[in-house]
Amino acid sequence: MASSLSLLLLALCALTVAEAGLRVFNLRATDLVPDPIGPCDGYVKLFLGSAKLGTTSVIDNDDNPWWEEEFAYLTARQHDVLRLEVYDRDLIYDDLVGICETQIKKGNYVYYCNLDDDVTLYFSTTLS
Ligand code: CA
């Protein structure tokens, strides 16, 4: 009986290790492509696999925005695909500036993604 309990505890521990919290934060972009009518109004949608992590606020009139929001997901696994979609808000139709996809890794990382020739998206992740 004691040994099966130990096995169960071991399985629970393994599950805890495999599924851990993901944090995505410190999102910023440089040289977002400006509208024909003015600077970019950028925001980012975040997904982990098919799950939506959230959307940043829109930062108006800034080609080099820095978003202060932090996003968390409790059941993230190593190698899950994190997808960030950068948009420029417009009156009628928001332009997709670019998409960044990466497999998350355990630990603390700072990523940079070239979305276009000049546009770069930076963000940090922590997976425990
Ligand atoms: Ca715009």
Side-chain angles (χ1 to χ4, degrees), residues 68-88:
E68 296 188 20
E69 289 95 341
E70 186 175 310
F71 300 89
Y73 198 73
L74 288 180
T75 54
R77 291 166 182 267
Q78 173 144 269
H79 306 307
D80 280 353
V81 175
L82 177 66
R83 174 186 172 96
L84 298 92
E85 301 177 352
V86 181
Y87 291 87
D88 170 28

Side-chain angles (χ1 to χ4, degrees), residues 102-122:
T102 187
Q103 285 190 324
I104 57 172
K105 291 177 286 189
K106 212 161 270 185
N108 305 312
Y109 290 92
V110 176
Y111 291 89
Y112 64 93
C113 255
N114 290 318
L115 301 179
D116 205 327
D117 287 341
D118 300 316
V119 186
T120 307
L121 176 70
Y122 301 82

Side-chain angles (χ1 to χ4, degrees), residues 12-20 106 128:
L12 282 175
C13 289
L15 202 67
T16 308
V17 169
E19 294 190 350
K106 212 161 270 185
S128 54

Side-chain angles (χ1 to χ4, degrees), residues 82-102:
L82 177 66
R83 174 186 172 96
L84 298 92
E85 301 177 352
V86 181
Y87 291 87
D88 170 28
R89 186 165 74 177
D90 284 319
L91 285 178
I92 299 168
Y93 182 79
D94 294 356
D95 295 312
L96 178 63
V97 177
I99 293 173
C100 176
E101 280 189 336
T102 187

Side-chain angles (χ1 to χ4, degrees), residues 6-45:
S6 308
L7 275 178
L8 181 66
L9 284 176
L10 202 66
L12 282 175
C13 289
L15 202 67
T16 308
V17 169
E19 294 190 350
L22 170 72
R23 287 197 313 132
V24 186
F25 56 101
N26 206 17
L27 280 76
R28 61 191 178 91
T30 54
D31 295 321
L32 283 181
V33 180
D35 281 339
I37 54 166
C40 197
D41 313 296
Y43 67 95
V44 185
K45 291 182 185 175

